[in-house]
């Protein structure tokens, strides 16, 4: 175990060094194709236009909808089982270039990838939506998983987003170490996370939750229920990207 941790730490340090070197050696370059970037943006126009934007999508859970679907129409899942959060804002779909960038950020702790993703999220949200909540809560990793990975991507994003937009940052805790959601169907995912989170502080009325990737919304639903129990009146779900179902 100690040898594995040493190897993971060495690889992460190597990646950080390569990432920093790339940013210094190639200033003003697109984070996707390394072509000259737009002014004050970490991407070029061609890559930006080709990104998998999450449109159209269900306004409740952000599930991607087929092209030509009626805007603002809730999906069948939300009609039959409305989530605990009132709406979702997830500007991108987890595929193609976005999936590759997310993997570099999530599993290799790349600050360059995280910065590009965060700027895309802010652009997709707009200032009015970003100013809505009184509090921002990142989806917490269980301490065991955080130690194994050595990086908490939702916390990294939330700290920067809160600092940029003057949002109050609150923390949730996992009650227990839940099994991985991978391989579970929709019903199993919701059952796996029942009563998974707790918030010990009293929350303000308007709260936004933040995660990197949203799949079925089960994790954010469970966290939203903990927020309502802690005094929040209205909860939104935010994520960078939504997994196509």
């Amino acid at each position: 175990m100690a040898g594995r941790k040493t190897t993971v730490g060495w690889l992460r340090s190597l990646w950080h060094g390569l990432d920093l070197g790339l940013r210094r050696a190639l200033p003003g370059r697109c984070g996707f194709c390394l072509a000259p970037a737009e002014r004050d943006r970490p991407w070029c126009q061609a890559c930006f236009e080709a990104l998998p934007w999450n449109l159209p999508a269900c306004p409740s859970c952000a599930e991607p909808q087929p092209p030509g679907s009626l805007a603002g129409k809730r999906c069948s899942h939300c009609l039959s089982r409305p989530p605990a959060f009132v709406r979702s804002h997830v500007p991108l779909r987890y595929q193609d270039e976005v999936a590759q960038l997310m993997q570099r950020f999530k599993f290799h702790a790349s600050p360059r990838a995280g910065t590009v993703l965060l700027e895309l999220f802010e652009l997709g949200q707009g200032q009015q939506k970003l100013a809505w909540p009184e509090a921002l809560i990142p989806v917490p990793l269980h301490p065991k998983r955080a130690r194994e990975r050595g990086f908490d991507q939702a916390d990294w994003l939330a700290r920067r987003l809160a600092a940029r937009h003057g949002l109050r940052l609150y923390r949730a805790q996992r009650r227990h170490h839940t099994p991985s959601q991978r391989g579970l169907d929709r019903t199993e995912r919701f059952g796996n996370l029942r009563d998974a989170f707790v918030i010990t502080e009293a929350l303000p009325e308007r709260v936004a939750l933040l995660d990197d990737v949203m799949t079925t919304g089960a994790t954010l639903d469970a966290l939203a229920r903990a927020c309502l129990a802690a005094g929040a009146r209205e909860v939104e779900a935010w994520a960078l990207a939504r997994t196509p179902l």
Side-chain angles (χ1 to χ4, degrees), residues 26-37:
L26 299 172
R29 294 287 173 173
C30 174
F32 298 98
C33 70
L34 300 181

Side-chain angles (χ1 to χ4, degrees), residues 95 137 192:
Q95 58 191 53
I137 303 177
N192 186 41

Side-chain angles (χ1 to χ4, degrees), residues 147-160:
R147 286 194 300 270
E148 291 173 350
R149 186 176 296 173
F151 178 64
D152 187 334
Q153 68 277 1
D155 183 75
W156 189 97
L157 294 165
R159 283 187 286 108
R160 284 155 180 77

